[in-house]
Amino acid sequence: MLHDKDIREPLFDFLEETYGKIRIIEEKTMGKSRADVVMVTEKDLVGIEIKSDADTYTRLSGQVKDYDKYYDRNIAVVGSSHALHIKEHVPDHWGIITVEFIDDAFDFYILRAPGVNPNLKLKNKLRILWRPELYALQQKYEMPKYKDKSKDFVIFKISERVPDIVSVENMNEDISGLLFERDYTNVEETLREYRKGELQKAIDSETDPQKKLEYMAMQAEKKASFPKRKRKRRR
């Protein structure tokens, strides 16, 4: 009997052989569910749900709805015990990959290629991006900074530019490009530097003395809350 942990690494090798340049992101929160795997290609985000021989379909209907909110295409990867029934549990546009362990090797078979997800909303897909990544899109598309606006407001304004100013294809490629470049080893610093830069810009541009003082107080408070890095000793 194959378990999820048995399937993952061989699956990633198979996906790389099949799709070429990809990036794998594991355990990504999406709505009320969590995607087992998100595969980033140069043009698409592909959600992948793994159903090993040890898994059931109990939560799958809700998971399918959440996957369809966020990803361009979706795939169910299933153990042999599910191969005959999985089509009854996922929409027709979902791809299906079966996996078996035969002769000391994993055997993956594309039972159905994934089609374009008709339920995807661009605004949901953009929510996958961090605020600094959205800002990179704002700069590329020569948009206002919206420094006092919420993330949802910025996402709405970016999505408004499709397709009249930015094509769907170019937007998808830009989103994939940002996710290829994302550095998970430096998450906190990336977000902190972005916020620090935005706050300094607000101070520099503010003409109201009282408002400027408020911004400066916020800046001082944030600096005090960030622990200083310890220098590494040279060996």
Side-chain angles (χ1 to χ4, degrees):
M1 178 181 287
L2 292 178
H3 292 78
D4 182 303
K5 62 181 177 61
D6 303 318
I7 295 171
R8 291 203 180 214
E9 288 302 324
L11 172 63
F12 300 158
D13 291 338
F14 172 77
L15 292 173
E16 190 169 14
E17 291 172 4
T18 304
Y19 288 92
K21 180 183 177 182
I22 63 171
R23 181 173 190 180
I24 295 296
I25 301 173
E26 298 184 72
E27 303 300 331
K28 180 68 180 173
T29 299
M30 50 170 194
K32 297 179 180 179
S33 307
R34 186 181 296 271
D36 285 333
V37 178
V38 178
M39 178 174 68
V40 183
T41 74
E42 292 183 299
K43 296 183 179 180
D44 289 322
L45 301 187
V46 184
I48 299 175
E49 175 64 19
I50 300 172
K51 290 297 180 190
S52 72
D53 294 319
D55 293 324
T56 68
Y57 294 125
T58 303
R59 297 181 296 115
L60 185 57
S61 61
Q63 291 170 321
V64 164
K65 292 177 182 177
D66 284 332
Y67 275 100
D68 272 0
K69 289 177 183 177
Y70 290 91
Y71 305 116
D72 301 285
R73 300 173 191 270
N74 292 296
I75 298 173
V77 177
V78 299
S80 57
S81 64
H82 296 302
L84 295 176
H85 307 287
I86 186 62
K87 287 183 179 180
E88 303 167 15
H89 296 275
V90 296
D92 291 341
H93 60 271
W94 272 55
I96 299 172
I97 296 175
T98 61
V99 55
E100 293 181 277
F101 192 69
I102 303 174
D103 297 329
D104 295 327
F106 285 88
D107 180 42
F108 291 92
Y109 175 72
I110 300 177
L111 185 63
R112 186 169 73 194
V116 175
N117 171 19
N119 303 311
L120 175 67
K121 299 290 190 297
L122 176 59
K123 286 185 285 188
N124 287 334
K125 184 176 177 180
L126 285 168
R127 286 191 178 95
I128 296 169
L129 298 180
W130 295 340
R131 192 64 183 264
E133 293 165 339
L134 292 172
Y135 183 59
L137 293 181
Q138 291 172 254
Q139 289 181 304
K140 180 169 184 177
Y141 304 151
E142 299 180 341
M143 297 175 63
K145 296 176 182 177
Y146 303 124
K147 60 189 177 189
D148 297 325
K149 300 297 184 179
S150 67
K151 180 178 178 179
D152 281 347
F153 179 88
V154 172
I155 286 171
F156 173 74
K157 299 306 283 188
I158 291 174
S159 66
E160 277 191 325
R161 304 183 82 78
V162 179
D164 295 336
I165 299 174
V166 182
S167 69
V168 174
E169 292 77 12
N170 286 343
M171 175 66 76
N172 287 336
E173 289 173 3
D174 288 340
I175 292 172
S176 288
L178 288 167
L179 291 174
F180 272 120
E181 296 298 322
R182 177 179 285 184
D183 182 2
Y184 277 97
T185 65
N186 212 16
V187 176
E188 290 185 7
E189 185 173 350
T190 298
L191 295 174
R192 183 169 68 240
E193 288 301 313
Y194 168 77
R195 291 168 185 147
K196 185 169 69 176
E198 288 301 291
L199 189 52
Q200 185 61 53
K201 290 173 188 175
I203 292 171
D204 294 339
S205 62
E206 185 57 61
T207 56
D208 183 338
Q210 183 59 39
K211 194 70 174 176
K212 178 170 286 195
L213 280 173
E214 290 176 7
Y215 283 141
M216 291 173 71
M218 289 170 58
Q219 186 183 57
E221 184 179 346
K222 288 181 181 296
K223 285 182 178 178
S225 65
F226 294 143
K228 293 182 178 180
R229 291 185 175 182
K230 293 181 180 180
R231 292 184 179 180
K232 293 182 179 180
R233 292 183 179 178
R234 294 184 179 179
R235 298 192 177 187

